[in-house]
């Protein structure tokens, strides 16, 4: 039988070992990269997710009442734009939700995601009936 020289077998083994080590290093770096990306995504989701300072969520988490330093604010979560400052009470309904402060009322259409902001003096009798059912927020 003809056997290949030992030198060529050792050379092949070394080449194979180097290839395996290169792929193993690549795998370790790849896993580290993926884990790092997942950690960044997790931190972002936790910081933007519900519950950080949010008391109530409306229209599929598009709007929220959040606590600020001394009061409550209704804001749009995507843009962080304040819609109604100094919120005093709210009511979450299936079709419409109601949020008020001392002088204004915001009515959110839960199906379409739109809202109407108007003075309390212009509230209809049905809206006044909803005001009586609202959950009151305590001052800090």
């Amino acid at each position: 039988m003809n056997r290949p020289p030992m030198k060529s077998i050792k050379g092949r083994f070394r080449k194979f070992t180097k290839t395996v080590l290169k792929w193993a290093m690549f795998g370790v770096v790849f896993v580290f990269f993926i884990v790092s990306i997942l950690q960044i995504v997790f931190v972002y989701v936790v910081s933007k997710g519900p519950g950080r300072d949010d008391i109530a969520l409306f229209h599929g988490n598009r709007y929220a009442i959040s606590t600020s330093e001394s009061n409550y604010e209704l804001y749009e979560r995507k843009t962080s734009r304040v819609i109604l400052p100094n919120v005093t009470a709210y009511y979450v309904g299936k079709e419409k939700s109601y949020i008020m402060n001392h002088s204004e009322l915001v009515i959110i259409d839960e199906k379409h995601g739109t809202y109407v902001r108007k003075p309390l003096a212009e509230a209809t009798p049905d809206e006044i009936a909803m005001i009586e059912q609202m959950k009151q927020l305590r001052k800090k």
Side-chain angles (χ1 to χ4, degrees):
M1 285 190 159
N2 278 342
R3 289 187 167 178
M6 289 299 277
K7 192 173 187 180
S8 72
I9 292 175
K10 287 182 181 179
R12 288 183 196 166
F13 181 75
R14 284 185 184 149
K15 188 175 180 182
F16 174 75
T17 311
K18 285 182 181 179
T19 304
V20 168
L21 288 175
K22 285 179 186 177
W23 280 106
M25 287 300 293
F26 174 78
V28 168
V29 170
F30 181 76
V31 168
F32 178 78
F33 179 75
I34 294 298
V35 169
S36 298
I37 295 296
L38 290 175
Q39 287 175 339
I40 291 168
V41 170
F42 176 77
V43 168
Y44 178 77
V45 168
V46 168
S47 69
K48 296 291 183 182
R52 69 177 207 276
D53 289 326
D54 297 339
I55 295 171
L57 301 171
F58 307 96
H59 183 67
N61 301 342
R62 181 175 177 184
Y63 305 103
I65 295 176
S66 179
T67 59
S68 66
E69 292 179 17
S70 62
N71 57 10
Y72 300 97
E73 298 174 335
L74 174 66
Y75 73 103
E76 188 171 3
R77 294 183 75 221
K78 194 172 190 178
T79 62
S80 296
R81 183 176 58 90
V82 175
I83 298 169
L84 187 67
N86 303 318
V87 173
T88 58
Y90 69 95
Y91 176 82
V92 180
K94 290 183 180 180
E95 293 183 21
K96 291 185 178 183
S97 294
Y98 300 84
I99 302 97
M100 67 177 255
N101 63 12
H102 295 290
S103 60
E104 293 179 290
L105 177 67
V106 172
I107 304 166
I108 298 176
D109 184 334
E110 291 289 345
K111 291 183 180 179
H112 300 103
T114 58
Y115 66 89
V116 176
R117 183 176 175 176
K118 62 180 172 179
L120 280 175
E122 295 178 10
T124 66
D126 290 337
E127 293 166 351
I128 292 171
M130 291 308 299
I131 289 172
E132 294 173 4
Q133 296 179 18
M134 288 184 174
K135 181 178 179 177
Q136 300 294 316
L137 295 173
R138 296 180 185 177
K139 289 187 178 185
K140 292 182 177 183

